[in-house]
Amino acid sequence: MRVVLAEDLYLLRDGLVLLLRSHGFEIVAAVDNGPALLAALIEHRPDVAVVDVRLPPSHTDEGLQAALAARREVPGLPVLVLSQHVEQLYARELLADGTGAVGYLLKDRVFNADQFIDAVRRVADGGTVMDPSVIAKLVSRPSASTGDLTPREREVLTLMAEGRSNTAIAKQLHLSESAVGKHIASIFAKFNLPVSDDDNRRVLAVLAHLQR
């Protein structure tokens, strides 16, 4: 699986290169600034890009904007964005086109190798991965619909919005898959959203609802 990596801190960039290679990924480019990232993404069209939000020259959201520009040139280009802090605006921009193959993780998740590599693979496969901290902010925000959910439904919603399958949710919450399915059907009914068996579509639907 071919990866373009963008990170301006040398030690972290080198560490990510070693980590990804140790799990069978091929690093086709490792860059440290926004313009170089955009050029590498368009040239290589990788299976997935792992991108730090803040890159030179602006050190604001240069990495995110370069990735979004590349997705306009290469629709559906898988992008996993890493950020130091939770910024809901970044999540909204990533999800705006509704096509999936995007992820948003805090950099702290990188230190959990299994979790990080799982996120990279899921984004490369076209899935949507959102950091639990982002989901926690969205789910905890007061709204009429989330207020109608039971405590168990809120647990299921949080895991569903992170991109987890019914099987994974059932395992984590020690429930049967049929019970998870019933909770999800109830959540969608309370949100007035169409039920979908497609993991990515339902994640996007839930996140779109939570961001309204």
Side-chain angles (χ1 to χ4, degrees):
M1 194 175 292
R2 300 163 62 253
V3 179
V4 165
L5 173 65
E7 168 58 57
D8 64 321
L9 297 177
Y10 170 75
L11 289 178
L12 180 54
R13 185 172 69 252
D14 196 46
L16 287 171
V17 167
L18 293 173
L19 175 60
L20 289 164
R21 282 179 175 162
S22 72
H23 284 80
F25 294 91
E26 177 190 355
I27 310 300
V28 294
V31 301
D32 64 359
N33 64 82
L37 169 60
L38 179 57
L41 291 175
I42 293 174
E43 176 186 353
H44 295 288
R45 302 192 176 210
D47 297 305
V48 62
V50 178
V51 178
D52 183 11
V53 166
R54 297 178 184 272
L55 290 176
S58 68
H59 286 288
T60 54
D61 61 350
E62 192 86 13
L64 174 64
Q65 294 308 320
L68 293 175
R71 276 174 66 91
R72 289 191 288 271
E73 292 287 328
V74 186
L77 178 71
V79 174
L80 174 62
V81 167
L82 304 177
S83 177
Q84 195 71 43
H85 307 287
V86 175
E87 292 287 350
Q88 292 182 40
L89 176 61
Y90 297 159
R92 285 199 297 272
E93 289 192 75
L94 275 171
L95 295 162
D97 64 10
T99 60
V102 293
Y104 176 67
L105 289 182
L106 291 183
K107 283 189 172 181
D108 288 349
R109 308 291 172 193
V110 172
F111 298 105
N112 183 323
D114 290 340
Q115 188 177 58
F116 172 66
I117 294 299
D118 176 63
V120 175
R121 294 191 189 281
R122 282 198 283 147
V123 170
D125 288 339
T128 301
V129 177
M130 287 290 120
D131 194 280
S133 299
V134 177
I135 301 304
K137 274 198 170 185
L138 293 172
V139 173
S140 65
R141 187 176 60 190
S143 73
S145 54
T146 55
D148 292 337
L149 300 181
T150 67
R152 179 62 85 186
E153 286 170 349
R154 292 173 75 87
E155 289 179 323
V156 171
L157 171 65
T158 298
L159 293 171
M160 182 169 60
E162 289 174 19
R164 301 298 173 181
S165 66
N166 284 20
T167 302
I169 294 171
K171 183 176 181 180
Q172 182 153 340
L173 297 181
H174 306 289
L175 297 172
S176 67
E177 288 191 44
S178 62
V180 171
K182 289 177 182 177
H183 285 308
I184 290 173
S186 176
I187 291 167
F188 273 81
K190 290 177 180 179
F191 283 0
N192 295 313
L193 294 171
V195 177
S196 173
D197 291 329
D198 182 278
D199 287 343
N200 198 50
R201 287 185 183 276
R202 71 182 189 172
V203 169
L204 292 172
V206 169
L207 290 172
H209 175 83
L210 291 174
Q211 292 178 86
R212 282 205 291 265

